């Protein structure tokens, strides 16, 4: 689904952040928030390490030659937001994986899964099988 990205696309990722999944919250085909265990108040609560996946079209990168991904100078956890604010808006994000209701990508490690941050009661508005 990444191949169909026109500008910047997003999707859920399973087994991440001590939860079964994290995802962009989508209403009427638009991202309206974030189902995440850490700092949902970030402008783009997504993570290049796979906590919520995203892809950027090469054409977008080329059309924003001054956009930079700072290794230093961003607050912790804000590198992705600082970068994406330079090239897009939340309203322009393209939700993939059936409007972010299907987990097609997993954040995996060679260790036992840690679900320490999974809410005791299901707090998401959709039911996602992981």
């Amino acid at each position: 689904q990444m191949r169909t990205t026109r500008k910047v696309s997003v999707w859920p990722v399973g087994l991440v952040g001590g939860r079964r999944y994290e995802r962009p919250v989508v209403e009427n085909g638009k991202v309206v928030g974030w189902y995440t265990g850490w700092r949902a108040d970030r402008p783009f609560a997504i993570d290049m390490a796979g906590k919520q996946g995203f892809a950027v079209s090469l054409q977008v990168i080329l059309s924003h030659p001054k956009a930079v991904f700072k290794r230093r100078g961003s607050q912790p956890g804000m590198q992705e937001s600082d970068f994406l604010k330079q090239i897009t808006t939340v309203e322009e994000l393209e939700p993939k994986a059936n409007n972010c209701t299907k987990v097609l990508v997993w954040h995996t490690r060679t260790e036992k899964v840690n679900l320490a941050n999974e809410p005791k009661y299901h707090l998401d508005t959709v039911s996602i099988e992981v």
Side-chain angles (χ1 to χ4, degrees):
Q1 293 191 354
M2 284 188 285
R3 292 180 186 184
T4 63
T5 298
R6 291 183 304 264
K7 193 167 183 178
V8 179
S9 60
V10 292
W11 55 85
V13 174
L15 303 178
V16 63
R19 291 180 161 218
R20 291 183 324 126
Y21 64 89
E22 291 189 345
R23 73 181 190 96
V25 175
V26 178
E27 292 178 4
N28 300 317
K30 298 288 184 183
V31 174
V32 296
W34 312 97
Y35 183 76
T36 180
W38 187 76
R39 292 214 44 201
D41 64 325
R42 292 173 285 163
F44 296 87
I46 54 183
D47 188 317
M48 67 180 173
K51 293 189 179 182
Q52 287 187 48
F54 72 99
V56 179
S57 162
L58 179 57
Q59 294 304 315
V60 171
I61 299 293
L62 295 174
S63 67
H64 294 83
K66 294 186 184 217
V68 294
F69 192 95
K70 297 183 211 171
R71 232 181 87 194
R72 294 189 177 104
S74 290
Q75 294 176 13
M78 293 296 290
Q79 288 178 312
E80 295 82 359
S81 287
D82 289 348
F83 172 67
L84 291 170
K85 284 190 296 187
Q86 298 171 70
I87 62 173
T88 193
T89 65
V90 172
E91 294 78 20
E92 293 177 315
L93 294 175
E94 304 162 39
K96 301 294 184 186
N98 197 28
N99 275 326
C100 297
T101 62
K102 295 191 181 291
V103 173
L104 304 175
V105 177
W106 290 263
H107 187 268
T108 59
R109 293 181 169 181
T110 54
E111 61 188 39
K112 187 177 178 182
V113 173
N114 173 5
L115 296 178
N117 294 328
E118 182 68 15
K120 197 172 218 175
Y121 302 101
H122 191 69
L123 301 175
D124 200 357
T125 56
V126 298
S127 178
I128 295 180
E129 182 180 335
V130 179

